[in-house]
Amino acid sequence: MPIPQKQIYTESDYYALPEDVRAELIDGQIYYQAAPSRVHQEILNAVNNMIYNYLKSKGGSCKVYPAPFAVKLYEDRKTIVEPDISVICDYGKLTDKGCTGAPDWIIEVVSPGNSSHDYIRKLNLYADAGVREYWIVNPMKQTIFVYHLEETKFEAAAYTFQDKIKVNIYEDLWIDFQEIIL
């Protein structure tokens, strides 16, 4: 009896999905996502606005994009993710479809049904792709895991919603989770 073969999906398959379908393509497999909760969206909006206001005040070359925003991590692998927040500092990575290459900073807000996706699969994927900093925000546990993924400075730290957290890739940006009113 032959072993059933998994279907391998492509970038074309991903972009052919209906616009109202939330999904990611990771190593040729489609992972469907449920609509985010109200709390998820409040955290995403608050943190995105803090980052946007900081970047605007500095006038630098970085841009922040909230989901849905397609990030094609590799040229040669069938992987397109939609991080909750992506910060890209290299305009050469921006395309009409989103970003090609690793963003400098990614933030994922955990949903009840996808925690292993963010904590394991995406952590490894982002580290491998060259993302410099990765934050996992868990509204249910009110925790934030911060990973500095640069090869010469790999670090991991845990925080709570009572903390003000220093962003590693900037000299003077802090995200104060006490300011987020849920």
Side-chain angles (χ1 to χ4, degrees), residues 22 33-37 40-41 84 108-119 136-140:
R22 296 193 66 232
Q33 301 173 315
S37 70
H40 180 284
Q41 290 301 92
D84 288 312
E108 294 284 7
V109 180
V110 175
S111 295
N114 77 345
S115 61
S116 68
H117 193 63
D118 292 330
Y119 284 106
I136 303 172
V137 179
N138 187 324
M140 292 81 64

Side-chain angles (χ1 to χ4, degrees), residues 72-133:
K72 182 179 175 182
L73 287 172
Y74 309 94
E75 279 296 327
D76 59 342
R77 284 172 56 183
K78 296 167 180 66
T79 299
I80 302 171
V81 293
E82 290 190 6
D84 288 312
I85 298 174
S86 301
V87 176
I88 296 110
C89 299
D90 178 355
Y91 283 162
K93 293 181 179 181
L94 297 174
T95 68
D96 288 341
K97 292 183 177 182
C99 173
T100 297
D104 293 271
W105 180 21
I106 288 178
I107 300 172
E108 294 284 7
V109 180
V110 175
S111 295
N114 77 345
S115 61
S116 68
H117 193 63
D118 292 330
Y119 284 106
I120 299 167
R121 182 175 290 118
K122 284 189 169 180
L123 172 60
N124 290 314
L125 192 65
Y126 294 156
D128 183 54
V131 172
R132 295 170 54 202
E133 188 160 352

Side-chain angles (χ1 to χ4, degrees), residues 104-172:
D104 293 271
W105 180 21
I106 288 178
I107 300 172
E108 294 284 7
V109 180
V110 175
S111 295
N114 77 345
S115 61
S116 68
H117 193 63
D118 292 330
Y119 284 106
I120 299 167
R121 182 175 290 118
K122 284 189 169 180
L123 172 60
N124 290 314
L125 192 65
Y126 294 156
D128 183 54
V131 172
R132 295 170 54 202
E133 188 160 352
Y134 176 42
W135 290 23
I136 303 172
V137 179
N138 187 324
M140 292 81 64
K141 294 183 178 182
Q142 296 200 344
T143 58
I144 305 100
F145 286 93
V146 174
Y147 297 91
H148 306 290
L149 302 174
E150 295 174 287
E151 284 184 34
T152 58
K153 191 178 179 182
F154 182 88
E155 297 175 3
Y159 300 92
T160 73
F161 279 29
Q162 301 305 307
D163 293 317
K164 187 174 182 179
I165 305 169
K166 168 82 172 69
V167 178
N168 189 54
I169 66 169
Y170 297 109
E171 293 293 321
D172 58 351

Side-chain angles (χ1 to χ4, degrees), residues 4-8 29:
Q5 298 295 314
K6 276 200 285 188
Q7 180 168 350
I8 302 297
Q29 296 302 299

